[in-house]
Amino acid sequence: MTDQARGAIDVAVFGAGRIGRIHAGNLARQPGVRLKYVVDVNREAAAALAREHGVEAVDADAALEDASIGATVICSSTDTHADLIERSAARGKHVFCEKPVDLALERARSCKEAVERAGVVCMIGFQRRFDPTFAAVKARLESGEIGTPEMLVVTSRDPGAPPVDYIRRSGGIFKDMLIHDFDIFRWILDDEAETLHATGSCLTDPAIAEAGDIDATAVTIRTKRGRLCQINTSRRAAYGYDQRFEVLGSGGMLQAGNVRPTEVAAWSATAISTDLPEAFFLERYRAAYANEIAHFFEAVTRGTPVRTTIADGVKALELAEAATRSWREGHAVRLGGAAD
Amino acid sequence: MTDQARGAIDVAVFGAGRIGRIHAGNLARQPGVRLKYVVDVNREAAAALAREHGVEAVDADAALEDASIGATVICSSTDTHADLIERSAARGKHVFCEKPVDLALERARSCKEAVERAGVVCMIGFQRRFDPTFAAVKARLESGEIGTPEMLVVTSRDPGAPPVDYIRRSGGIFKDMLIHDFDIFRWILDDEAETLHATGSCLTDPAIAEAGDIDATAVTIRTKRGRLCQINTSRRAAYGYDQRFEVLGSGGMLQAGNVRPTEVAAWSATAISTDLPEAFFLERYRAAYANEIAHFFEAVTRGTPVRTTIADGVKALELAEAATRSWREGHAVRLGGAAD
Amino acid sequence: MTDQARGAIDVAVFGAGRIGRIHAGNLARQPGVRLKYVVDVNREAAAALAREHGVEAVDADAALEDASIGATVICSSTDTHADLIERSAARGKHVFCEKPVDLALERARSCKEAVERAGVVCMIGFQRRFDPTFAAVKARLESGEIGTPEMLVVTSRDPGAPPVDYIRRSGGIFKDMLIHDFDIFRWILDDEAETLHATGSCLTDPAIAEAGDIDATAVTIRTKRGRLCQINTSRRAAYGYDQRFEVLGSGGMLQAGNVRPTEVAAWSATAISTDLPEAFFLERYRAAYANEIAHFFEAVTRGTPVRTTIADGVKALELAEAATRSWREGHAVRLGGAAD
Amino acid sequence: MTDQARGAIDVAVFGAGRIGRIHAGNLARQPGVRLKYVVDVNREAAAALAREHGVEAVDADAALEDASIGATVICSSTDTHADLIERSAARGKHVFCEKPVDLALERARSCKEAVERAGVVCMIGFQRRFDPTFAAVKARLESGEIGTPEMLVVTSRDPGAPPVDYIRRSGGIFKDMLIHDFDIFRWILDDEAETLHATGSCLTDPAIAEAGDIDATAVTIRTKRGRLCQINTSRRAAYGYDQRFEVLGSGGMLQAGNVRPTEVAAWSATAISTDLPEAFFLERYRAAYANEIAHFFEAVTRGTPVRTTIADGVKALELAEAATRSWREGHAVRLGGAAD
């Protein structure tokens, strides 16, 4: 009996870069999931990843037109996301797509509608929700351990800025970097923004300012129910990748801390020291990446809902756009109309 | 040879409440400093504290008119501060005064001018600058350990809201509670605010909202040099008094944590647990209160400058006023004209 | 081209219990390594594990007589270890075997000689040396970070005692449980025992005493170079599995701590609490098990030495036997003759 | 009305060294306690300390013959302890005396009997029992928080060895340094030793070995009830003064950790680091010294029992002597006859 016969699902991965390789490796470990194609405009990268998994490298059309492909995993460049989502959805294929849906809010919204019309599963890769520490905080919040959440403080810092060339095409720090933090905000406070204020500075490299962007931000959100959220971010933390948040509730506080490579403590003549946090997102979110792919295929297989929908992707983008506007115009902005 | 002959300084303490008792105890321990009078409109409280130290309880006029009094320590209610500062200064007495100088910015400014005209020392009780942990962070910042400071995140939470009656007379949360945090901001980032945004909510007790105030705030300050500061506060943390901050610099980060009563860790069948932070300001800042009084009398005796001047008191009040306005009007405010 | 042709190595796993399943899963992930047989006297267990990997369940003879099998992984019951090692070695198969080599020291020694005569690789499963935290301490020690090691304190506690029936066949706590700690001692202090003192008590369950064993021990070793080691163990720690050690050196100290499932801290009205350590050895040493299997096949493939040889297995057993004698006789014992 | 009339107690301090100065300062702060004399064979030291407190420096006879002296505080050299205790007791004066009672066990025992005959209070300065962290562990143990205590691990390390000249007169490391740890053992496990094994090495300075002593020890005690205790000590920890212990109980574990000067955490490009422990005993046990003196005078004034009696002093000395013997003779020793 073949996998297919047993109901296995064949998958095409778009994008053979860092994150594509991780997803390919993780999905290959799912029972009943079979990687079939790797697609990348960089044919060499596609071929290498395909070879590693003993599968075929094909072009996008071939993958999308193959009716046996049940799901696509989209890790290609941001400007291809919306198009690949729509084409996948139109052919009834389920979609896992890296954030953001698109840099343009309107495009992201129409994409969301296309997905809804098609009735396929579409999960956006907000992997942080699948981090064991972050997920444990969420579960404990929901158990009522600290009562009603009132205030969220998010610290989100990268170890260093990407090349300015990347920044130029990134949509700006709010869409590129804080989009994850906006998703964390919505998930943890379980509420929608009413007003948002963002400010920031370019402190690490003047070239970033010349590219019209900033590298340090301070965002405050007040929700419809009056809850408060502060997000502080920087493109450059000398000590590495810093991913923490804490929620104050009516009955206590929950903190989500960084993860360390080892539990060694060294007592020297000058200090007691421990490891820095895991170096960057590939290390810190290793378990999260595995968990989110497992979650996606479980949802596809069992027909259960996904935790991070394309609607979440659009919402996070709305906040990123509001933050960009607040920063540019120098005043707080009110978030739009009727929330869904 | 009497203390006086040796150059000892006689002191009158105004206010025999909690904090007055602490300052009286601490100053009695300074070499060359002698408590002479205790003043309080509550005569019983004044008499009790005076008796404890074997000194006299007198009224304000008697204390101020006694030429042998070299310094006053003002811990009476806020509405008496400015008046007592000015009367002390006019008689050439050095002044240590609890924050705030006054709830009205104009009155605080004129008070500051009176002090400057009189040429006396006037120290404002921003005791946090004298906390061993906070002071160590400042010293290490100044040593260049983490390069240029870029971002400050302040967490400042009380264990519970004071009576609404107190809140009504307090000048509002920004002047009553955050004034300390605004001072920390100026001290740690060593810069002045250019813009400030404040928002907040009333989450713990509707009576606070009815009194026109809030109990949770989120403040963002951007400095003239582009540095960022976020302050989050609450009147009620179920786990107690929470006083932390962290400074991100170009070369690393320094965190100032809470202080615990003991270093016990308990490993039970459900968790590993440690002590909560010291219960409230009297416990947390015990060392800070002793240090600041020692610093004041050292400054008075040696003619060295004080670390927290009346100008700092006015500056913090300006920020508190700006924050109040930002919160009420719903937009960020620009801080005024020429900095000192 | 087949795996075989490419130089892949075929493997038979003996023992389809908890640890056998883990090793089977890990070795299946090694490039160039192919699980071929699962062997277990419990035929159902063997079949289940074989099915999971799409391989064959056979009996021991079939596996050992198949010349294509290049290596055996022995996770069957202790009383089968020495025999399977010798039979594997005699057929030129490399061996990975769980501890202990045998409960009888003489048998373990003759087994070691057989392995040496055969010239095969034989690695004993002291997985703790492959734990990321423990291995980092070792590497930092070797880098000279804390100078010369002088004192080692090992804390090694299980979450609960095994069934008394198991204890009866276990060889006693020193051979069953502390054998790992004795290996840690030799590895970390890089020295051999000169004298050893062991004492202990039965504190958790009288049935253990009736079985002639104890459940709590305190061991002290003094090495040939005068270094000191203390090991404290218990079969029952109410808070779970506790695996820590610390090394004091002439220039500082290195501590190896427990690993926690998440980095959540909860601040309640009574305490600040964090996760308990990983529940038991399967969770705590998950990475270690993967690392040791990778190390074994790398050694086999490349001809490099293994980190935990059968000689190490014999040495640890010598210490376990000495400890048993010290405890029974109530005095310190001197470790024998010339060390190898 | 004079202090005397009010029932104040006049005190003579013997020994004007480091610890004498601390006790003098602390007792001067007790209500109803009045320092009257300072005694030291070093007359200059005596005069200096006396001057600081505005009291008289006299010789031992003068102090002991003054009937108004109600209590003596003995901080002079060890060889004077027993004599001063007995002379104080004979004159009905209560006694606070630094450890040890005497280096000779017999002398200590006869001293204890003299105290008992005289019926005066005699407290031995085991200040560790008054450390807030250690005392909290004891209180929580007594509350039953972790069930029955089963195992105690004590880590006790000095920042550096004293001069060899001091070591020569010290009675050896077990009487000089571990005597405190033996007291901790008896206090925390609330049981008496049945067998004791001690070993050790000279690792930091050959001159210590030449003086017939060691600088690193490993002690194991098994109590009458079968509880276990391990103590590890070193004269030299490169990172400073290390004073920790942990108690495993049937229901959990309590750890007593070191105390740090500040709660600063520094995140650099290489590690996250925190303060070293307080530098040495004067800093670490600052609160403990104040608490023990307060406890002594409270006991004297109210007629309540003291927590650390001369009997405790003798018991600790018995363990120190047993340890010395065990180390010298190379075998475990059984502790003598009927415990009191």
Side-chain angles (χ1 to χ4, degrees), chain D residues 123-169:
Chain D
M123 176 169 167
I124 301 301
F126 288 127
Q127 86 284 354
R128 294 187 192 178
R129 295 202 195 189
F130 298 89
D131 174 72
T133 291
F134 289 8
V137 167
K138 176 68 175 174
R140 292 170 74 165
L141 271 173
E142 287 184 343
S143 79
E145 184 176 327
I146 61 162
T148 308
E150 297 177 347
M151 201 179 292
L152 171 66
V153 179
V154 178
T155 297
S156 180
R157 297 170 186 160
D158 281 359
V164 172
D165 199 54
Y166 171 91
I167 283 178
R168 227 171 255 126
R169 290 172 295 107

Side-chain angles (χ1 to χ4, degrees), chain D residues 3-327:
Chain D
D3 275 350
Q4 188 81 22
R6 278 193 247 128
I9 183 166
D10 282 355
V11 181
V13 167
F14 293 78
R18 276 190 311 192
I19 194 69
R21 299 176 63 85
I22 283 174
H23 289 324
N26 283 330
L27 72 87
R29 247 167 252 141
Q30 303 307 313
V33 175
R34 197 168 51 187
L35 178 60
K36 187 164 181 183
Y37 299 130
V38 175
V39 181
D40 198 303
V41 290
N42 177 336
R43 282 166 183 278
E44 219 164 300
L49 181 55
R51 202 162 42 235
E52 197 177 300
H53 287 276
V55 303
E56 235 180 310
V58 299
D59 66 15
D61 290 346
L64 288 166
E65 296 312 328
D66 182 341
S68 77
I69 291 294
T72 58
V73 169
I74 305 173
C75 327
S76 43
S77 63
T78 295
D79 57 351
T80 66
H81 288 184
D83 190 50
L84 288 171
I85 291 173
E86 286 172 355
R87 293 176 68 192
S88 298
R91 282 153 188 81
K93 301 182 195 311
H94 302 297
V95 183
F96 175 95
C97 183
E98 279 301 307
K99 62 88 203 166
V101 178
D102 196 272
L103 292 181
L105 186 52
E106 275 321 302
R107 185 75 178 87
R109 282 180 179 146
S110 66
C111 191
K112 167 173 167 281
E113 282 154 25
V115 162
E116 285 166 359
R117 275 194 307 275
V120 297
V121 172
C122 179
M123 176 169 167
I124 301 301
F126 288 127
Q127 86 284 354
R128 294 187 192 178
R129 295 202 195 189
F130 298 89
D131 174 72
T133 291
F134 289 8
V137 167
K138 176 68 175 174
R140 292 170 74 165
L141 271 173
E142 287 184 343
S143 79
E145 184 176 327
I146 61 162
T148 308
E150 297 177 347
M151 201 179 292
L152 171 66
V153 179
V154 178
T155 297
S156 180
R157 297 170 186 160
D158 281 359
V164 172
D165 199 54
Y166 171 91
I167 283 178
R168 227 171 255 126
R169 290 172 295 107
S170 71
I173 192 168
F174 296 106
K175 286 186 184 170
D176 183 55
M177 189 172 161
L178 279 89
I179 195 156
H180 281 293
D181 305 301
F182 292 131
D183 183 63
I184 289 285
F185 149 72
R186 293 182 59 248
W187 179 54
I188 290 295
L189 285 191
D190 200 16
D191 201 355
E192 298 295 343
E194 187 168 87
T195 57
L196 182 152
H197 175 265
T199 186
S201 287
C202 179
L203 296 167
T204 72
D205 182 356
I208 292 174
E210 282 158 30
D213 206 356
I214 47 181
D215 51 25
T217 78
V219 175
T220 299
I221 303 173
R222 192 175 182 282
T223 72
K224 294 186 190 305
R225 295 192 233 178
R227 297 170 181 181
L228 304 174
C229 170
Q230 288 197 309
I231 302 170
N232 73 80
T233 63
S234 173
R235 286 284 193 187
R236 190 254 330 262
Y239 53 85
Y241 192 49
D242 193 356
Q243 298 281 296
R244 291 172 285 148
F245 65 79
E246 61 183 54
V247 208
L248 177 68
S250 54
M253 174 166 63
L254 289 167
Q255 291 178 312
N258 287 306
V259 177
R260 299 179 289 205
T262 79
E263 296 302 319
V264 178
W267 302 45
S268 76
T270 53
I272 300 175
S273 58
T274 54
D275 282 7
L276 290 178
E278 291 281 6
F280 207 6
F281 62 96
L282 296 180
E283 294 84 5
R284 163 59 191 269
Y285 292 118
R286 186 180 295 122
Y289 287 123
N291 294 344
E292 71 172 354
I293 283 294
H295 174 79
F296 171 68
F297 284 106
E298 200 181 283
V300 162
T301 310
R302 304 199 184 166
T304 48
V306 288
R307 211 182 291 168
T308 53
T309 64
I310 190 166
D312 292 314
V314 170
K315 286 284 183 191
L317 199 61
E318 285 170 4
L319 293 169
E321 196 136 303
T324 309
R325 192 151 59 85
S326 174
W327 159 58

Side-chain angles (χ1 to χ4, degrees), chain B residues 24 41 44-45 60 85 98 106 108 158 166 203 233 264 278 292 301 317 320:
Chain B
V41 289
E44 220 162 301
I85 291 172
E98 280 301 308
E106 274 321 302
D158 281 0
Y166 171 91
L203 296 168
T233 64
V264 179
E278 292 282 7
E292 72 172 354
T301 310
L317 198 63

Side-chain angles (χ1 to χ4, degrees), chain C residues 141-160:
Chain C
L141 271 173
E142 287 184 344
S143 79
E145 182 175 328
I146 61 162
T148 308
E150 297 177 346
M151 201 179 291
L152 171 67
V153 179
V154 178
T155 297
S156 180
R157 299 169 184 159
D158 279 1

Side-chain angles (χ1 to χ4, degrees), chain A residues 150-151 153 157 197 199-201 216 218-220 222 226 230-233 236 238-239 244 246 250-253 255, chain B residues 150-151 153 157 197 199-201 218-220 222 226 230-233 236 238-239 244 246 250-253 255:
Chain A
E150 296 177 346
M151 201 179 293
V153 179
R157 297 168 186 162
H197 175 264
T199 185
S201 287
V219 174
T220 300
R222 192 175 183 281
Q230 289 197 309
I231 302 168
N232 73 79
T233 64
R236 190 254 332 262
Y239 54 85
R244 291 173 285 148
E246 61 183 55
S250 54
M253 173 166 64
Q255 291 179 313
Chain B
E150 296 177 347
M151 201 178 293
V153 179
R157 298 169 185 162
H197 175 264
T199 184
S201 286
V219 175
T220 299
R222 191 175 184 282
Q230 288 196 311
I231 302 170
N232 72 80
T233 64
R236 189 256 329 263
Y239 53 84
R244 291 172 286 148
E246 60 182 55
S250 53
M253 173 165 63
Q255 291 179 312

Side-chain angles (χ1 to χ4, degrees), chain A residues 11-30:
Chain A
V11 180
V13 167
F14 293 79
R18 278 189 310 192
I19 193 70
R21 299 177 64 84
I22 283 174
H23 289 323
N26 284 329
L27 73 87
R29 248 168 253 141
Q30 302 308 312

